Amino acid sequence: MSGGTGMGKALRSPVAKCGALLAGYVAALSLARSYSVSFDRGLAATLQGFPGQLRVRSVVVALLLEPMPAVLLFVSCVVVFALSVWGSKAREEPPVWRSIDGAWLVVSAYGAVLTCIHFMRSPFAPSFGYHSQMVFFSAVVYAIVMVLLAEIVARVRDGQLQHTLYWPRFFGLYPPRRPVGLLMALLLAGNLLLLFVSCPIDAAIGARLRVLLLLLLLSHLGALTYLCAFVLSLSMEYDKANSEKIRAERFKSELIANVSHDIRTPLTSIISYVDLLKGLPIESADFTEYVNVLDRKTIRLKTLTSDLMEASKAGTGNLDVDMCEIDLVEIIGQVAGEFDDQLNERSVALVFRQPDTPVLTKADSRHLWRILENLFGNAAKYAMPGTRVFAEITLRDDKPVFFLRNTSQNPIDLPGDILTEQFIRDDRARHAEGSGLGLYIAKSLAELMGEQLVIRATGDLFEAEMLFG
């Protein structure tokens, strides 16, 4: 195991990568020497003026006398280089060029290589000799191929290759049997046919015209690829909007059903107890009990109606926002103090961690109070008796952050983002006194003020995080 780990570290080292590149280039030069006499002479002429009368025959040929060792060395160097790239650490955020179409990168590399070959066959400047030109462009071709190999290996390692192949995804969305797919397929096939067949072998076209035609085809293919990526992005946006629409329709249906249920329940009780009261004398003990029940049910109905109206206004942004400077330590302490009795009744202890100095931020005091009231009220209702509720104010990148954590009495079987939806309770029970709108109202009010409220739920651990701008 240790030997394998040591070998893996050796392969991942920059020395191994650079060594594989250099040795692979030497092997490539040896292969070119074996199959091209003119290249051999050009290489020798270019290296003739080096210190110590360095010669290609005295270096390359001395190392690799036959083509077969050169092939083996080149393949070995390519494998070592690929393994070195594969074992290197991936970036946390992929670089910008990682989003470019992988097929377009291959075609662009092919075009660059073909351009170098055209320049090698036709000197483009008298001051840049033919032999030196051959050596220079051979090094450029080798660098292009190895950079392309490194990019492909990195995309396969990071699982991004399939996602960055735009054309297969495009034809999966618009197959050639459809008019748009057929048109794009014909344009793509025509470009590739000219690029891979006409440009390399058409003897009637001069070197300069070949380069111009090559650049024209590459730019046209790049425009088609960009159009393909644009259509795919539009399709993704449409699918996202369609999913949001379906989700909104589902919430609308659930909202109507849940509102009907939650309003009908206390209303039915009120009607029933009113009927009972009609037949009882005022002095009766049952009369007083029924009045108390009516009082609770009417308060419940009023609370539900108020929360429903507030949720509607907060969700649509139909609320005034008056931003002013607020001390978070002071306002959170005041809200927490209002829930001391409820927390003590459930034997829940509140632990408030706060800085020694005031923490100032911009917020609407009314809306912030309502958010904190919902968060602490949620903890007072659902925290497990005998546990602690942790409230904390910290700074992140010089911005205030408020945390509220508690252990739920019942396991939370829903993700945190679902808990902030309308009429959702962490136990999904209808016997609870809440309306199921508290967290939804809190998140909507936070977004209305330009703040961010994130709810997380893991097992029975509930956490609310509010980031102030």
Side-chain angles (χ1 to χ4, degrees), residues 352-367:
F352 187 18
R353 298 171 180 170
Q354 55 184 339
D356 297 331
T357 58
V359 179
L360 302 179
T361 187
K362 291 282 188 178
D364 186 301
S365 58
R366 296 175 296 115
H367 298 333

Side-chain angles (χ1 to χ4, degrees), residues 10-12 16-17 19-20 75-86:
L11 287 176
R12 291 193 299 268
K17 190 179 299 183
V75 172
S76 300
C77 291
V78 169
V79 171
V80 171
F81 179 75
L83 291 176
S84 178
V85 175
W86 181 274

Side-chain angles (χ1 to χ4, degrees), residues 163 166 169-170 173-174 225-241:
H163 180 70
Y166 296 152
R169 293 168 54 199
F170 178 85
L173 190 63
Y174 299 99
T225 304
Y226 174 78
L227 178 61
C228 167
F230 179 70
V231 172
L232 287 175
S233 65
L234 288 181
S235 176
M236 292 175 60
E237 290 294 330
Y238 173 78
D239 291 340
K240 182 179 179 180

Side-chain angles (χ1 to χ4, degrees), residues 320-393:
D320 295 331
V321 178
D322 182 18
M323 303 293 284
C324 59
E325 195 172 68
I326 293 176
D327 181 6
L328 283 181
V329 176
E330 180 181 354
I331 191 171
I332 293 176
Q334 291 176 358
V335 176
E338 291 197 355
F339 288 89
D340 283 341
D341 293 338
Q342 296 185 38
L343 293 172
N344 291 332
E345 288 178 3
R346 296 176 58 85
S347 301
V348 175
L350 176 63
V351 180
F352 187 18
R353 298 171 180 170
Q354 55 184 339
D356 297 331
T357 58
V359 179
L360 302 179
T361 187
K362 291 282 188 178
D364 186 301
S365 58
R366 296 175 296 115
H367 298 333
L368 181 56
W369 186 281
R370 181 70 166 123
I371 294 171
L372 296 173
E373 194 175 45
N374 283 332
L375 294 178
F376 279 99
N378 183 77
K381 291 175 185 176
Y382 300 113
M384 178 182 292
T387 59
R388 289 182 293 270
V389 174
F390 293 91
E392 181 179 6
I393 302 175

Side-chain angles (χ1 to χ4, degrees), residues 114-149:
L114 196 59
T115 303
C116 291
I117 293 175
H118 289 329
F119 278 131
M120 288 170 64
R121 292 177 178 175
S122 176
F124 62 92
S127 60
F128 197 36
Y130 176 67
H131 294 152
S132 300
Q133 186 172 306
M134 291 180 63
V135 175
F136 172 76
F137 282 114
S138 65
V140 173
V141 168
Y142 179 77
I144 291 173
V145 173
M146 297 306 285
V147 168
L148 178 64
L149 174 64

Side-chain angles (χ1 to χ4, degrees), residues 6 19 36 66 70 72 74 87 121 129 166 171 185 200 232 255 280 285 324 354 368 378 387 416 419 448 456-457:
S36 175
E66 299 296 333
L72 294 176
F74 180 76
R121 292 177 178 175
Y166 296 152
F171 287 120
L232 287 175
L255 176 63
L280 291 176
C324 59
Q354 55 184 339
L368 181 56
N378 183 77
T387 59
L419 291 175
L448 193 63
R456 303 184 184 91

Side-chain angles (χ1 to χ4, degrees), residues 148-220:
L148 178 64
L149 174 64
E151 182 65 19
I152 293 176
V153 171
R155 293 190 182 199
V156 174
R157 177 198 62 196
D158 300 338
Q160 296 176 332
L161 182 62
Q162 185 176 0
H163 180 70
T164 54
L165 291 176
Y166 296 152
W167 286 103
R169 293 168 54 199
F170 178 85
F171 287 120
L173 190 63
Y174 299 99
R177 64 176 178 270
R178 299 177 61 179
V180 175
L182 178 61
L183 176 62
M184 294 294 284
L186 292 176
L187 290 174
L188 180 62
N191 272 268
L192 294 178
L193 183 65
L194 291 173
L195 190 63
F196 285 92
V197 177
S198 179
C199 278
I201 65 175
D202 193 346
I205 305 178
R208 295 179 184 273
L209 291 179
R210 285 186 184 183
V211 173
L212 291 176
L213 178 61
L214 181 64
L215 294 177
L216 180 63
L217 291 172
L218 286 175
S219 61
H220 189 255

